[in-house]
Amino acid sequence: MSILASRVYNQFRQRGFLFVVFALILAISVAAYLMTGHLLLLGIPAGLAAIAWGIRDFSILYLAIWATIPFAVEVDLPGGLSTDFPAEPLMWLTFILFPVYIFLQGRQLDFSFLFHPLMVILVIHFFWIVLMSAISTVPLISIKYTLAKTWYLVCFVVVPLVIFRHLRDFKTWSVVFLVPLVLTVIIILIRHSQYGFTFSTINNAVIPIYRNHVDYACSLGVFLPFTWWISTWVGAGWKKYALFACIAIVVTGIYFSYTRAAWLCIPLAGVVYFLIRLRWMRVIVPLVLAVVLLVVGWLAYDNHYISYSPNYESVITQKKFDDLVSATYRMEDISTVERFYRWVAGYYMLLDRPWTGFGPASFYSVYHSFVDRHFTTYVSDNPEQSGMHNYYLMVAVEQGIPGLVIFLSLVILVLIWGERLYYKLQSGVLRNLLMAGLISLCCNLFILTLNDTVETDKLGAIFFLCIGIVIWVERNARRNGLFDKTTLHH
């Protein structure tokens, strides 16, 4: 940890004047914005300073994205747009300056990863989104979505594959992200304590740092495997104790988030670890798919799903977490039933346009015409304009069945490829990084059965980075001869 700290300190010291100038410009810009409310006073000076800094040291600009993601808040922009500030503007800068970085460093860069099978299918996934946007029923919304997807894939898959050349770069990334993440948890726990740590007040404590308690808890859940990875190399003494304190804070944050999906991520992480160690992932993945297809097919056959429609009068918002859990089983919790309401609408939408879907990010604009009133709840007017709360069904509805097949092929190949790679690697920090990435990805995939969080900066960034980690680890192992020779023949 001290080596990482001294490395970052030396970088700042060597560029001290530029850093001070950048910080002053940013502070003046923020102050001017707060005093006048004009976004241009914030955006133009800070943007010019950030561009200059990014050209001078692109890797620091990139790490700034990760350092600001935990604290990023949603800001409304003119024209009905919004952004996660300051993380998303930093993504835009990174996306714009990346070609400049390639031009300046071109001879030193390795782009062999572009031909990796995982990258190929990821590109296919992206171009299918582009194609579906071109024929979308709401083209403007779909084009905005595609643009956002573009810089997400570049920033969280391509850029780290290019600029993270050594394992120490990932170590630096993990610390840069962990520290602000833990700070957000501390702030939220303090705020939540003022409400008595009650379930009904958790959203009050997390807003505006996180959109809601689900976004907060799941962000902690998907990064938790990387805290285990850090523990494998952080060293002894106070550094180890500091890390354990961070892990304890993160787990405490998950507990008091009262989020079912995040709670389940902790035992799920342990299960996935042993599945990979036992080489059962290639068996479990098709088994899970088969079970899902059977359940969906049974619900769809002869409209069996209607038998699960709730009693409108008994479906309420629960104020206590214990009541929420019991109401979930009885189909009387409003969030659970509202999910069924949207899933059923998605089912009818899929029947209407099974091959092309309605276009990326089109669900909210279209689904009201396909709802089944058997599942109506008190919040079915959807004032938050939220999505389907099942990413897989949403992909099928918006990108057609081919889009879902491409996406599932991508994540299944990542898991199976990653497991196979894990058994080729020598024991060590690199192998543990791969394990952490695969566990985090599985937690994210589980969360996507109940949410659409891959489209948010706090979870989407980790999701795509995990895919990049599998590619990066394999390339790094080949370059440094880190494969276990006793397993290469398997």
Side-chain angles (χ1 to χ4, degrees):
M1 184 79 76
S2 58
I3 296 175
L4 291 174
S6 62
R7 179 169 173 260
V8 173
Y9 171 75
N10 288 334
Q11 287 179 341
F12 282 135
R13 188 177 64 178
Q14 293 168 9
R15 302 161 177 83
F17 176 74
L18 284 175
F19 177 72
V20 170
V21 171
F22 173 77
L24 284 174
I25 293 175
L26 183 61
I28 293 170
S29 301
V30 171
Y33 166 70
L34 293 175
M35 292 173 63
T36 65
H38 294 298
L39 280 172
L40 288 178
L41 293 175
L42 174 64
I44 293 178
L48 291 174
I51 288 173
W53 182 266
I55 294 174
R56 181 68 178 83
D57 196 328
F58 185 74
S59 62
I60 293 294
L61 173 65
Y62 180 68
L63 288 175
I65 298 176
W66 289 99
T68 57
I69 281 177
F71 281 101
V73 297
E74 192 168 358
V75 176
D76 293 328
L77 299 176
L81 302 176
S82 64
T83 186
D84 294 308
F85 185 84
E88 197 161 25
L90 288 172
M91 294 180 210
W92 303 340
L93 279 175
T94 300
F95 180 74
I96 293 170
L97 293 179
F98 188 48
V100 178
Y101 176 79
I102 293 174
F103 176 77
L104 295 175
Q105 305 287 334
R107 295 183 178 180
Q108 304 175 32
L109 304 180
D110 179 9
F111 290 96
S112 60
F113 66 86
L114 293 174
F115 303 100
H116 194 283
L118 298 183
M119 182 59 68
V120 171
I121 194 169
L122 186 63
V123 170
I124 293 172
H125 170 61
F126 172 73
F127 277 106
W128 183 261
I129 291 174
V130 173
L131 178 60
M132 293 303 98
S133 296
I135 59 174
S136 172
T137 57
V138 282
L140 182 60
I141 295 175
S142 295
I143 290 172
K144 292 177 183 177
Y145 172 90
T146 303
L147 288 173
K149 183 69 73 174
T150 302
W151 57 68
Y152 264 68
L153 292 176
V154 169
C155 289
F156 302 121
V157 179
V158 179
V159 171
L161 285 170
V162 171
I163 71 172
F164 287 2
R165 303 179 190 180
H166 307 283
L167 192 57
R168 65 173 178 267
D169 295 320
F170 267 105
K171 292 180 179 180
T172 302
W173 159 79
S174 63
V175 175
V176 164
F177 188 71
L178 174 64
V179 171
L181 185 71
V182 170
L183 288 176
T184 66
V185 180
I186 293 173
I187 292 170
I188 289 168
L189 286 174
I190 293 173
R191 295 180 62 186
H192 200 194
S193 68
Q194 298 172 352
Y195 296 104
F197 290 111
T198 59
F199 168 62
S200 60
T201 59
I202 179 59
N203 276 334
N204 296 336
V206 305
I207 295 172
I209 301 176
Y210 295 86
R211 286 185 175 91
N212 50 54
H213 72 103
V214 175
D215 194 30
Y216 163 61
C218 293
S219 297
L220 304 181
V222 299
F223 189 73
L224 196 58
F226 289 104
T227 63
W228 163 78
W229 174 65
I230 297 172
S231 71
T232 64
W233 56 261
V234 72
W238 68 268
K239 305 167 195 172
K240 201 83 167 182
Y241 293 126
L243 177 64
F244 287 157
C246 290
I247 294 174
I249 292 170
V250 170
V251 173
T252 303
I254 293 174
Y255 177 78
F256 284 112
S257 71
Y258 301 109
T259 304
R260 292 161 289 187
W263 279 20
L264 290 174
C265 278
I266 296 177
L268 176 64
V271 170
V272 172
Y273 176 83
F274 285 107
L275 287 177
I276 295 173
R277 290 297 300 265
L278 296 172
R279 304 192 75 170
W280 285 359
M281 187 65 72
R282 49 190 166 180
V283 176
I284 294 298
V285 169
L287 181 62
V288 169
L289 280 176
V291 170
V292 170
L293 287 173
L294 286 173
V295 171
V296 171
W298 182 82
L299 289 172
Y301 179 73
D302 201 25
N303 293 332
H304 279 155
Y305 69 90
I306 293 179
S307 62
Y308 291 91
S309 60
N311 181 346
Y312 183 84
E313 299 299 331
S314 65
V315 175
I316 59 174
T317 300
Q318 306 298 329
K319 300 297 182 181
K320 296 181 179 180
F321 188 70
D322 292 343
D323 294 339
L324 173 65
V325 174
S326 60
T328 299
Y329 292 116
R330 300 193 306 268
M331 284 292 290
E332 293 179 357
D333 167 53
I334 197 166
S335 63
T336 302
V337 176
E338 179 62 20
R339 280 180 168 85
F340 272 86
Y341 177 78
R342 300 182 194 183
W343 295 349
V344 171
Y347 167 69
Y348 285 122
M349 292 171 71
L350 189 59
L351 292 179
D352 190 66
R353 298 188 65 163
W355 303 114
T356 60
F358 290 81
S362 64
F363 173 74
Y364 175 78
S365 302
V366 180
Y367 86 100
H368 295 91
S369 302
F370 293 87
V371 298
D372 187 329
R373 298 302 174 187
H374 288 91
F375 291 83
T376 301
T377 70
Y378 294 101
V379 296
S380 292
D381 54 345
N382 194 4
E384 296 180 351
Q385 300 186 15
S386 55
M388 188 179 291
H389 293 296
N390 183 297
Y391 189 72
Y392 308 101
L393 182 56
M394 192 172 77
V395 169
V397 166
E398 296 182 347
Q399 302 173 31
I401 293 176
L404 176 62
V405 170
I406 293 170
F407 178 76
L408 290 178
S409 300
L410 170 65
V411 295
I412 291 171
L413 184 60
V414 169
L415 294 175
I416 294 177
W417 195 286
E419 180 189 69
R420 180 171 171 267
L421 176 62
Y422 180 82
Y423 274 89
K424 288 184 176 182
L425 291 172
Q426 298 174 7
S427 297
V429 179
L430 186 68
R431 195 186 197 205
N432 292 336
L433 173 62
L434 176 63
M435 175 66 83
L438 292 173
I439 294 174
S440 177
L441 182 65
C442 287
C443 290
N444 230 323
L445 292 172
F446 167 71
I447 291 168
L448 292 181
T449 61
L450 299 172
N451 297 281
D452 319 317
T453 47
V454 77
E455 308 299 352
T456 66
D457 61 331
K458 289 178 169 64
L459 282 97
I462 299 250
F463 178 85
F464 290 114
L465 182 68
C466 289
I467 296 175
I469 282 174
V470 176
I471 302 172
W472 188 91
V473 167
E474 182 171 20
R475 185 180 61 172
N476 186 273
R478 290 189 187 282
R479 183 185 299 156
N480 298 294
L482 297 177
F483 286 118
D484 187 343
K485 295 180 181 179
T486 63
T487 62
L488 287 178
H489 64 281
H490 290 295

